[in-house]
Each structure stands twice: as C-alpha cells, then as structure tokens.
Amino acid sequence: MFVHVDPSNGIAIYDQIVRQVKFAVACDALKPGNLVPSVRELARDLTVNPNTVARAYRELQADNVLQPLRGTGLEITLAAPKKCLADRAALIRSRLRSVLGEARQSGLTAEDIRNLTEDELARLEPQGNQS
Amino acid sequence: MFVHVDPSNGIAIYDQIVRQVKFAVACDALKPGNLVPSVRELARDLTVNPNTVARAYRELQADNVLQPLRGTGLEITLAAPKKCLADRAALIRSRLRSVLGEARQSGLTAEDIRNLTEDELARLEPQGNQS
Amino acid sequence: MFVHVDPSNGIAIYDQIVRQVKFAVACDALKPGNLVPSVRELARDLTVNPNTVARAYRELQADNVLQPLRGTGLEITLAAPKKCLADRAALIRSRLRSVLGEARQSGLTAEDIRNLTEDELARLEPQGNQS
Amino acid sequence: MFVHVDPSNGIAIYDQIVRQVKFAVACDALKPGNLVPSVRELARDLTVNPNTVARAYRELQADNVLQPLRGTGLEITLAAPKKCLADRAALIRSRLRSVLGEARQSGLTAEDIRNLTEDELARLEPQGNQS
DNA sequence: GTGGTCTAGACCACC
DNA sequence: GTGGTCTAGACCACG
C-alpha cells in the first residue's frame, strides 16, 4: 500500500492522502490508467472515515490527477505525472525561497547558508541517493 | 511600531504577534527590560481584539520571553535574546532540512539543489543585504 | 467524572482543570490514548464557559500532556504519565523545601519540625491511606 | 534597610512589604516603639509607587502591627511581636499541612515523606542554624 | 460532532 | 493606567 496516515501529526488526514497519491504518481509508483483503491477499501485499510477518503479523491479529481472510469472506479489521468512533478517542483521552490529569505533576515550570510545547505545535503547523501 | 498583522494570511493573528515579538528580540530591536506596548494599546494599533493580544503575550510569558511587572506592564526577560536567537536558528535549520529532504526525494540532484539555492540567494542579495 | 472545580477558591478555573487532568494522568486514571471529554461536554458538566475549558486543554497541549486528533478530540500523549509524575514530585519537593526553609528561619528547631510533621501525618493517616 | 522588593517575582509589591515588616518584627529586628520609615522615604528607597507603600502600611495598621504616632510616623505596636510570631507559625503549619496532604495523595508513604523531610532539613542545617 | 480562532464586553487586583 | 480571568457567542476546517 502506498498510503499511510498519522491522525496526530497536525496535517489534515485528507491532505495526507492527497499528498501521498500525488507523490506516488510523481514517483511512477502510480501510472496513468492505474486504478486507485475504492473509497471504502482505502478507508478500511487506513481505519479512517470514508468521508475523509472521498474528500481526498474529490480534491484529486479537481486537480485533474484522478478521473472516474464509468462504473469501475477512479484512474490516474494521463496528465497526472507531469502535473504532480510540476506541483512538487513548484512547492519545493517556494518553500526553499521562503526559508532562504528568513535565513537572510536572521542575519546569516549567503556563505553561512551555503554551508548549512552542504551540511544537510551531506547528511542526506547516504540514504535517498536518487540523483 | 514593530508589529504588523495580516488577518487573512492563514497564520493566526496571535501567532503573528508572537513571532514578530520574538523576531524583534532576536534583532535587538527589543532588549531585556524594555516594556512591550500594553495589551490595550497594541490592540488599538492593530485594530484587533485585546484578548488576541493578551493571548500572544501569554504565550510569550510561557516561553519565558516576557515577564509581568505587576500593574506596570510586560518586560522583555534577560533570557529572551538568547532564547529567540536559538529558536530562530533551530527553526531555520529544521525547515531547511525538511525542504532539502523533499527535494532529494523528488529526484533533484545535489547539484540541482545548489543551483536552485544560488538562484534564490541571488534574488535576495539586492534587497535585504544584512550580511 | 474526574474533574470538579470550585470557582471561588482563588485558583483560576482553567488552572484547576489543568491540575486535575495532570493529577488524573499521574494516577493512571487517564492513560495514553484515552480521549479527554470534549471541550463542550466538560464545559457543560462543570457549568463553565467552553473557552475556559479550551484554555485549560490548550495549556495541556503546550505541556505535551494532550495531543489533538483532528476532528476527533484530544488524547493523552504517550509521554504524559512520566511527565505528570515527575512534575508532581518536583512540585512537592520544592514546596516542602520552601516551607521547611521558612520554618527554620522562623526559629523552629529541626525537632519542632519533625513533631509538626508527625502531627500532620497522623491527621492524614485515617483517610487517604494510598501508601 | 530591612526591606527589598522584586517587582517581577509575581507577589504583589505591597504584600512583599507587609511580609517583610512582619518578618522583621518576628525576628526582633523591629521592636515595639520603633518607627518605620515614612511612606515617601521607603517609596524612594525601593523606587516604588508611594501608594504601594501606603497600602502596605494600611494593611499593617489593620493587622495591629503598626500604629500612628501623632504627627511623627508609624510605630511598631506592643502586640506586634506576639502577633507576627503567631501569624508566622500558623502560616507555616497550614502550608506544611497542605504539602503533606498533596504528598500523601501522590502516593508517597509516611516513611517517604519523613525521608524527604530529613533530606531537606539536612540541606538547611549548615546555614540558618537559629535553633 | 470535534477543536481553533476571534470578537465583545465584563470584573478583578495591582501600581 | 496595567495584566488576568471569565462569559457569551460567532465562524472556520476537519471527520
């Protein structure tokens, strides 16, 4: 299963589902034409209210990531991978911008920030080396 | 005045006040022993309910940034500057870590991230050049 | 129900609630994962304003005793029992120290204090014999 | 001077003055017939609002610790020493009772409490050995 | 239903 | 004048 939710981490559950579906699409774990689990099935697996799953799927349809397949379920759209990758990149860029802006405001020099970044990149290398 | 709030930016008003006071302390704009504006005065200036300001000040007391002088007002504590600087640094480090982590997960190479960072730093240079 | 408040005993109502919840946790009457009564329910039971209960619960969250389950309620955290027991012990130790210090300052001998203590312990024995 | 106030320790300033005068009387540092400093003088020395000192003296008169000496000032009454000692003893007894009660409620045995008490008494011995 | 935020207005003790 | 507490009632997002 590609979704896990934590009801006590502050992020809305429906939003956790939305993000993880998008992430799975961005990673090619879900490809266009694949069916996502039914609302009831996913709700049971996550021990979550079906309304919550339905809301997540509704948002994913509004975002053109999912589309209904008449009488069958919801499938990943053709446009989804491109969209999810773009969304993710835009999100990262905006978060990076905001944290760098705050860092500068706090009096860190550009050099300080480069060093911090290298530190953190070095910590990340060993594991997720998808580059 | 060192506080401005935007009631429609998603962040709770009381929290905007908390953050800005801490920021002002971190910047030495507010020093230990200084009195912050009274609850009523700040509420009037921000056209916000006094309870909202009081809540912000209460949280700042819980964080040991403000200290009551009975019948007189609230003053910045001696420990505040150290605390606010440390908080700010820790916050930036953790946010940087999380955004870099996500960037790597999304398949960006360390080099991609360095380039993105340099782009954003270059955009920030002209203005807030406090380094 | 594990909370009773006395609006006229000098201690703020929200603080009475905070203390009693912590006490209930320290006594294992509330265990990690248990939900506390909803803000509105407890407010009704105590015939107190919901904001007052909400404030108490907010402080308990700040103290890492309660944790929100979005849309569901507030649960006792895993760390709560340890924290509440430690808090209580530390509180008692510090109060005992301060009263003994004052007693000595007032010219009571160690023996006087021992006698006073035994008197009071004897008065307490019959009732709350939880030892 | 026998009074020191800390405006930021949570206890009302007027109350700090009241307590310290009573304590000085209980210790024989102030004896019946001694004059206390004038309101203005004490207010200047403590850099405190004269109203605050006046209020403290008013309470001390109400408690029959001070009495006006026509056109001269306020003097310690004859009854003051006995009263201050008794007050202090009563206060200590009630605080001891409350902390012991809480300790028992928390599950400490009488023996635990005796040990705690001995520990704290031992810590106090070296210094204030007025017994 | 749940908690979170905000407004409005009251009363208190303290300086 | 100051902060602290409490009440009352509104609106929001979430499940």
Side-chain angles (χ1 to χ4, degrees):
Chain A
M1 188 44 62
F2 51 91
V3 242
H4 317 278
V5 299
D6 173 4
S8 68
N9 76 350
I11 301 176
I13 293 176
Y14 83 91
D15 204 23
Q16 297 185 45
I17 298 173
V18 168
R19 291 180 194 205
Q20 292 190 34
V21 170
K22 285 186 179 177
F23 182 63
V25 173
C27 295
D28 261 4
L30 285 175
K31 299 188 218 300
N34 288 168
L35 291 178
V36 290
S38 76
V39 168
R40 285 146 134 191
E41 183 187 347
L42 186 54
R44 186 168 27 77
D45 289 355
L46 301 176
T47 55
V48 138
N49 191 309
N51 287 329
T52 305
V53 177
R55 173 161 182 190
Y57 283 179
R58 209 185 316 132
E59 299 230 341
L60 287 164
Q61 288 178 70
D63 273 2
N64 201 26
V65 171
L66 292 184
Q67 67 189 0
L69 199 59
R70 298 266 318 231
T72 307
L74 293 163
E75 66 172 0
I76 308 294
T77 63
L78 270 175
K82 192 165 154 241
K83 183 163 192 357
C84 292
L85 278 171
D87 278 6
R88 192 155 186 88
L91 180 66
I92 286 167
R93 219 164 278 132
S94 91
R95 288 187 50 186
L96 186 59
R97 178 171 310 168
S98 106
V99 70
L100 293 180
E102 281 192 40
R104 290 308 308 266
Q105 266 195 314
S106 298
L108 297 178
T109 65
E111 201 48 37
D112 292 337
I113 294 172
R114 272 182 212 105
N115 291 336
L116 264 177
T117 305
E118 289 305 323
D119 284 358
E120 295 301 336
L121 284 175
R123 295 177 53 135
L124 292 167
E125 281 312 308
Q127 305 101 340
N129 212 329
Q130 305 107 319
S131 53
Chain B
M1 193 40 64
F2 50 90
V3 244
H4 312 279
V5 298
D6 171 6
S8 65
N9 75 350
I11 301 176
I13 294 175
Y14 81 90
D15 204 23
Q16 297 183 45
I17 298 173
V18 169
R19 292 180 193 206
Q20 292 189 32
V21 170
K22 285 186 178 176
F23 183 63
V25 173
C27 295
D28 257 7
L30 286 175
K31 298 187 220 301
N34 289 169
L35 291 178
V36 289
S38 81
V39 168
R40 290 157 170 93
E41 182 188 348
L42 186 55
R44 191 170 14 82
D45 289 356
L46 301 177
T47 56
V48 140
N49 190 288
N51 282 328
T52 303
V53 177
R55 175 166 178 189
Y57 282 179
R58 203 188 310 139
E59 302 229 335
L60 287 164
Q61 286 181 66
D63 277 0
N64 200 26
V65 170
L66 293 182
Q67 176 175 49
L69 290 182
R70 308 267 310 227
T72 303
L74 295 164
E75 68 172 0
I76 307 292
T77 62
L78 273 176
K82 191 165 153 250
K83 186 169 189 353
C84 291
L85 277 172
D87 278 7
R88 191 153 187 88
L91 181 67
I92 286 168
R93 221 163 276 134
S94 91
R95 290 184 48 183
L96 186 59
R97 178 170 310 169
S98 106
V99 69
L100 292 181
E102 282 192 38
R104 290 307 309 268
Q105 269 194 315
S106 298
L108 297 178
T109 66
E111 201 47 38
D112 291 339
I113 293 172
R114 274 184 210 104
N115 290 337
L116 263 178
T117 304
E118 288 306 323
D119 284 357
E120 295 302 336
L121 284 175
R123 294 177 54 136
L124 291 167
E125 280 314 304
Q127 306 100 339
N129 212 330
Q130 304 106 318
S131 51
Chain C
M1 191 43 62
F2 51 90
V3 243
H4 314 279
V5 298
D6 171 4
S8 65
N9 75 349
I11 302 177
I13 296 175
Y14 79 90
D15 205 23
Q16 297 184 46
I17 299 173
V18 168
R19 293 178 193 208
Q20 292 188 33
V21 170
K22 285 185 180 178
F23 182 63
V25 172
C27 296
D28 257 7
L30 284 175
K31 298 189 219 303
N34 288 168
L35 291 178
V36 290
S38 82
V39 169
R40 290 157 171 94
E41 182 188 349
L42 186 54
R44 191 170 13 83
D45 289 356
L46 301 177
T47 55
V48 139
N49 189 289
N51 282 328
T52 303
V53 177
R55 175 167 178 188
Y57 282 179
R58 204 189 309 140
E59 302 227 336
L60 288 164
Q61 285 181 66
D63 278 359
N64 202 25
V65 171
L66 293 183
Q67 175 177 50
L69 289 182
R70 308 268 309 230
T72 303
L74 294 163
E75 68 171 0
I76 308 292
T77 62
L78 273 175
K82 192 165 153 248
K83 184 167 192 352
C84 292
L85 278 171
D87 278 7
R88 190 151 188 91
L91 181 67
I92 286 167
R93 221 163 275 133
S94 91
R95 289 185 51 182
L96 186 59
R97 177 171 310 168
S98 107
V99 71
L100 293 181
E102 282 192 39
R104 292 306 309 266
Q105 267 194 316
S106 298
L108 297 179
T109 66
E111 202 46 38
D112 292 338
I113 293 173
R114 273 183 211 103
N115 291 336
L116 264 177
T117 304
E118 288 306 323
D119 284 358
E120 295 302 338
L121 284 176
R123 296 177 53 137
L124 290 166
E125 280 314 306
Q127 306 102 337
N129 213 331
Q130 305 104 319
S131 51
Chain D
M1 187 44 63
F2 51 90
V3 243
H4 316 278
V5 298
D6 172 4
S8 67
N9 77 349
I11 301 175
I13 293 176
Y14 83 91
D15 204 23
Q16 296 184 45
I17 298 173
V18 168
R19 291 180 194 205
Q20 293 189 31
V21 171
K22 286 186 177 176
F23 182 62
V25 173
C27 296
D28 260 4
L30 285 174
K31 297 187 222 297
N34 288 169
L35 291 178
V36 291
S38 77
V39 168
R40 284 146 133 192
E41 184 188 346
L42 186 55
R44 187 169 25 78
D45 289 356
L46 301 178
T47 57
V48 139
N49 192 308
N51 287 328
T52 305
V53 177
R55 172 162 182 189
Y57 283 178
R58 209 185 315 133
E59 300 230 340
L60 287 164
Q61 290 178 68
D63 272 4
N64 201 27
V65 171
L66 292 183
Q67 67 188 1
L69 201 58
R70 295 266 317 229
T72 308
L74 293 163
E75 66 171 3
I76 307 294
T77 63
L78 270 176
K82 193 168 152 239
K83 183 167 192 355
C84 292
L85 278 171
D87 278 6
R88 192 154 185 88
L91 180 66
I92 285 166
R93 218 164 279 129
S94 91
R95 288 186 50 186
L96 186 58
R97 177 170 310 167
S98 106
V99 70
L100 293 180
E102 282 192 39
R104 289 308 309 267
Q105 264 195 315
S106 298
L108 298 177
T109 66
E111 201 47 37
D112 292 337
I113 293 173
R114 272 182 213 105
N115 291 336
L116 262 177
T117 305
E118 289 304 324
D119 284 357
E120 295 301 336
L121 284 175
R123 295 177 53 136
L124 292 166
E125 281 313 306
Q127 306 102 340
N129 213 330
Q130 301 108 319
S131 53

